[in-house]
Amino acid sequence: MATKPLIDKQVTSSPGAAGVPSRALLKGVEIVELLSSADSPLSLRAIAHQIRLGKPSTFRLLQTLVSTRVVGASGNGDYYPIRRFSPIQESTWVDELIVAARAATERLSAELAEAVTLAALFEDHVRVVHTLESTREIRMSNYLSRILSPYASSLGKAIAAYQSPARLNQLLQVYGVYPITGKTITEPTSILEEMAQIRGRGYSSEFEETVVGGCCFGAPICVQEQNVRAAVSVSLPISRLTEGLELRLGQMLKDAALQIGKNLATGNKQGLRGL
């Protein structure tokens, strides 16, 4: 059987086409997971911001979830989960990843005071598994279990760039390729060119491709040789980014990712075998 070409044009033109998962359904799942992990009800504006979707589209999804009694709406317009879903059950490997990365991520967080995030590759998507929030008043943020774009987010790019053509195509088809902001790269050739650039310099970047006003840098974490199953990132408002900081972030993330990979490989300095 012939394989589909990398980044099938159907994905970019029609995310809901046969064989391609529905973008609306994926966003609906994100809403349920977000509300399930929140400590209190969330407003329409907060939900739309977190899932990177316009308020009208978010409202339509919320109305569907309310009508099916998956989500409830309070009198003041906030939303809460009726059927609470627990975050993903992390595998032993993901538990080990978080422990192996603890020292490196805490060091990045303390030195930069910006958001530091870990993501892992699952069967057909990339997902946030751990995050340290920025301590600054104006900051970027992330949330546990968020499904990441493999072509727009720095974490998704850092992982997707090192996958086989078939696995990359699967990640893109499952997420769908569509513009998240006006600066999102969606042209197939441009996506592939950026993946090659990431492999060349050893880290990824995104400038307002997922959030207007934000930027993020990520580095792949190798478990073995070129077996990339995770990534670590630093995100910050683009207004705080300087040319010197950009160069520094790339090297800091590569150093952190290298150390995390070594910790995963040896499993002794961080006490991983005791998990």
Side-chain angles (χ1 to χ4, degrees):
M1 180 182 294
T3 58
K4 286 187 177 182
L6 189 62
I7 314 182
D8 193 317
K9 291 186 180 294
Q10 278 190 320
V11 180
T12 60
S13 60
S14 180
V20 180
S22 164
R23 179 195 178 199
L25 180 57
L26 288 173
K27 288 297 180 183
V29 170
E30 278 195 64
I31 290 174
V32 174
E33 291 180 334
L34 173 63
L35 293 176
S36 295
S37 63
D39 296 327
S40 58
L42 297 177
S43 67
L44 168 63
R45 180 179 179 181
I47 295 168
H49 174 73
Q50 289 282 11
I51 68 170
R52 297 359 181 204
L53 193 64
K55 286 198 288 186
S57 297
T58 303
F59 179 73
R60 287 193 294 272
L61 289 173
L62 283 165
Q63 290 301 101
T64 300
L65 293 169
V66 168
S67 69
T68 55
R69 296 199 55 77
V70 174
V71 167
S74 63
N76 62 359
D78 289 343
Y79 296 88
Y80 57 90
I82 293 177
R83 302 179 187 179
R84 186 174 291 275
F85 289 77
S86 299
I88 55 168
Q89 295 298 314
E90 294 169 354
S91 67
T92 300
W93 180 81
V94 173
D95 289 334
E96 291 183 354
L97 168 66
I98 294 169
V99 176
R102 183 172 296 153
T105 54
E106 289 179 354
R107 184 164 54 249
L108 287 170
S109 177
E111 186 169 346
L112 299 167
E114 303 290 2
V116 179
T117 303
L118 277 177
L121 174 65
F122 292 83
E123 182 179 357
D124 57 8
H125 64 279
V126 176
R127 190 184 285 260
V128 171
V129 295
H130 184 65
T131 185
L132 296 174
E133 292 291 341
S134 169
T135 56
R136 299 175 187 260
E137 184 174 350
I138 299 175
R139 59 186 181 270
M140 299 295 292
S141 63
N142 227 317
Y143 64 89
L144 188 65
S145 295
R146 177 185 168 202
I147 298 173
L148 299 168
S149 162
Y151 62 92
S153 77
S154 66
L155 285 164
K157 292 179 189 180
I159 293 174
Y162 291 85
Q163 305 308 308
S164 67
R167 189 72 177 276
L168 173 59
N169 199 40
Q170 180 188 36
L171 291 171
L172 292 166
Q173 287 197 43
V174 167
Y175 192 89
V177 179
Y178 52 88
I180 302 171
T181 72
K183 296 188 178 181
T184 307
I185 298 171
T186 57
E187 203 280 319
T189 301
S190 298
I191 291 175
L192 294 180
E193 288 175 352
E194 185 174 17
M195 296 294 175
Q197 292 170 2
I198 291 167
R199 292 191 295 273
R201 66 173 179 254
Y203 70 91
S204 61
S205 62
E206 66 109 335
F207 302 93
E208 299 186 289
E209 293 173 52
T210 58
V211 179
V212 175
C215 62
C216 191
F217 300 83
I221 298 171
C222 295
V223 181
Q224 303 167 343
E225 289 301 314
Q226 291 299 311
N227 182 16
V228 174
R229 295 176 60 193
V232 58
S233 76
V234 170
S235 54
L236 64 154
I238 203 165
S239 59
R240 280 204 291 269
L241 184 68
T242 64
E243 185 176 349
L245 178 58
E246 181 176 346
L247 293 173
R248 183 176 166 222
L249 283 172
Q251 190 58 55
M252 289 176 72
L253 283 163
K254 288 195 291 184
D255 291 344
L258 180 62
Q259 187 58 57
I260 295 167
K262 288 180 178 178
N263 290 343
L264 281 168
T266 59
N268 49 28
K269 292 183 180 180
Q270 300 284 341
L272 304 182
R273 299 309 183 198
L275 287 174

